[in-house]
Amino acid sequence: MAFLGCLPIIFLFPLLFFIFWIVTLFEVLRRPDDTFRNSGDRIMWILIVFFGNFIGALIYQIFGKNEMS
């Protein structure tokens, strides 16, 4: 019975991580070209976010956005 109390948490956290990952991926894709230092930066961030999943998205939110501001 204790397992049933954990069900919302078991489904909520992966869903939130997935939404965060998708939003970050779209953010990288929609960012204008002139905000990147060179043309390879966009591809690099897309690969980091896509293959890094939640960790890649977190790395972009911490380092990538600050680098381009």
Side-chain angles (χ1 to χ4, degrees), residues 6-44:
C6 295
L7 279 179
I9 293 172
I10 291 172
F11 291 113
L12 184 64
F13 282 130
L15 180 64
L16 291 176
F17 290 159
F18 179 73
I19 291 170
F20 176 69
W21 177 69
I22 292 294
V23 167
T24 303
L25 188 59
F26 280 120
E27 188 175 317
V28 174
L29 291 171
R30 292 182 354 166
R31 188 171 288 277
D33 286 336
D34 59 343
T35 58
F36 293 100
R37 288 189 205 164
N38 57 38
S39 61
D41 282 353
R42 176 186 297 266
I43 295 169
M44 177 194 69

Side-chain angles (χ1 to χ4, degrees), residues 35-37 41 44-45 60 62-69:
T35 58
F36 293 100
R37 288 189 205 164
D41 282 353
M44 177 194 69
W45 280 117
Y60 172 76
I62 293 170
F63 297 111
K65 288 178 88 171
N66 293 338
E67 174 183 301
M68 293 178 239
S69 303

Side-chain angles (χ1 to χ4, degrees), residues 40-56:
D41 282 353
R42 176 186 297 266
I43 295 169
M44 177 194 69
W45 280 117
I46 290 171
L47 291 174
I48 288 172
V49 171
F50 186 77
F51 290 113
N53 295 326
F54 175 73
I55 300 298

